[in-house]
Amino acid sequence: MTTETVPARKQIGILLFDGVEELDAVGPWEVLSFWTREYPDDGYDVSCFSREGGPVRCAKGLTLVAPLSYADVPPWEVLVYPGGEGTRPQLVDEAQLDWVRDQRESVPLLTSVCTGSPVYAAAGLLAGRPATTYWGALERLHELDPSIEVRPDDRYVDSGDMITASGVSAGIDMALHLVRRLAGEERARQVRRGIQYDPQPPV
């Protein structure tokens, strides 16, 4: 009698840190958690983590709790690196930049939202690639690495094993694109409808 082996579920991690912009993290979380909960047969799970685990105070005062720390995360299939004012010290935090470089070695797909991409740039991961970031940080992204092909008008830029998104709400678009990449166009449309995302700006 043979026993069927259940395929291991693939893991998506959303990084949290003090000063993270709320929607940078929660926007992708809404998309990805809806997807993974409503369509578990697609084989993905999503979770949040931080350096130490536990409470994280976001840029505008909201407190989020990361159930996992760097020490106890699973192997990631996808990493989502949000932005926010908390990324500013990370640009010169060699321990954090080394950790980012380590993720490049082990994580198949790195993504970012807003000023998460300048952290990737500071770690040397965007050299020679197209990328974007929050409109107010486009010049800084170029300063960090002039070889980056900065795309100021794109909501997100997919360069294969890295996806960068522009500011804040663009993380929702990027996450829906991620669902499309991992599970197909129809699934992404189902998720978009499920979270009733059909933006028509009132102003």
Side-chain angles (χ1 to χ4, degrees):
M1 183 176 180
T2 58
T3 303
E4 291 188 7
T5 302
V6 178
R9 299 186 64 78
K10 296 179 180 180
Q11 303 295 321
I12 302 172
I14 300 176
L15 177 63
L16 301 177
F17 47 84
D18 286 336
V20 66
E21 184 66 32
E22 283 86 342
L23 193 57
D24 284 9
V26 176
W29 171 265
E30 178 65 31
V31 172
L32 298 172
S33 63
F34 182 93
W35 168 43
T36 56
R37 288 168 185 260
E38 293 295 318
Y39 303 98
D41 289 347
D42 287 350
Y44 284 84
D45 292 322
V46 61
S47 54
C48 294
F49 70 105
S50 66
R51 183 178 294 191
E52 303 295 337
V56 169
R57 183 175 173 81
C58 301
K60 296 183 176 69
L62 180 69
T63 296
L64 299 175
V65 178
L68 302 172
S69 71
Y70 285 6
D72 51 25
V73 296
W76 300 124
E77 184 74 14
V78 182
L79 170 64
V80 180
Y81 205 119
E85 62 185 27
T87 60
R88 295 172 187 170
Q90 294 176 16
L91 298 177
V92 292
D93 181 341
E94 284 303 321
Q96 181 65 12
L97 295 178
D98 283 343
W99 178 85
V100 170
R101 295 180 188 107
D102 287 344
Q103 304 317 296
R104 173 70 291 172
E105 295 299 316
S106 61
V107 180
L109 180 55
L110 299 182
T111 77
S112 67
V113 183
C114 195
T115 54
S117 60
V119 180
Y120 285 164
L125 303 188
L126 293 178
R129 289 177 177 264
T132 192
T133 189
Y134 178 62
W135 64 265
L138 290 165
E139 184 175 346
R140 181 63 173 140
L141 185 62
H142 176 73
E143 290 172 352
L144 285 163
D145 187 342
S147 77
I148 297 171
E149 179 193 334
V150 178
R151 295 188 178 176
D153 299 321
D154 291 356
R155 290 283 281 176
Y156 59 86
V157 176
D158 186 333
S159 63
D161 58 357
M162 299 192 77
I163 306 173
T164 56
S166 57
V168 196
S169 65
I172 298 172
D173 294 23
M174 184 277 293
L176 284 167
H177 171 68
L178 184 58
V179 175
R180 178 170 57 190
R181 267 191 57 164
L182 300 176
E185 182 90 20
E186 180 58 26
R187 181 69 80 235
R189 289 181 181 276
Q190 290 168 330
V191 172
R192 182 195 60 77
R193 181 170 176 77
I195 65 172
Q196 199 160 3
Y197 179 62
D198 188 15
Q200 296 180 0
V203 293

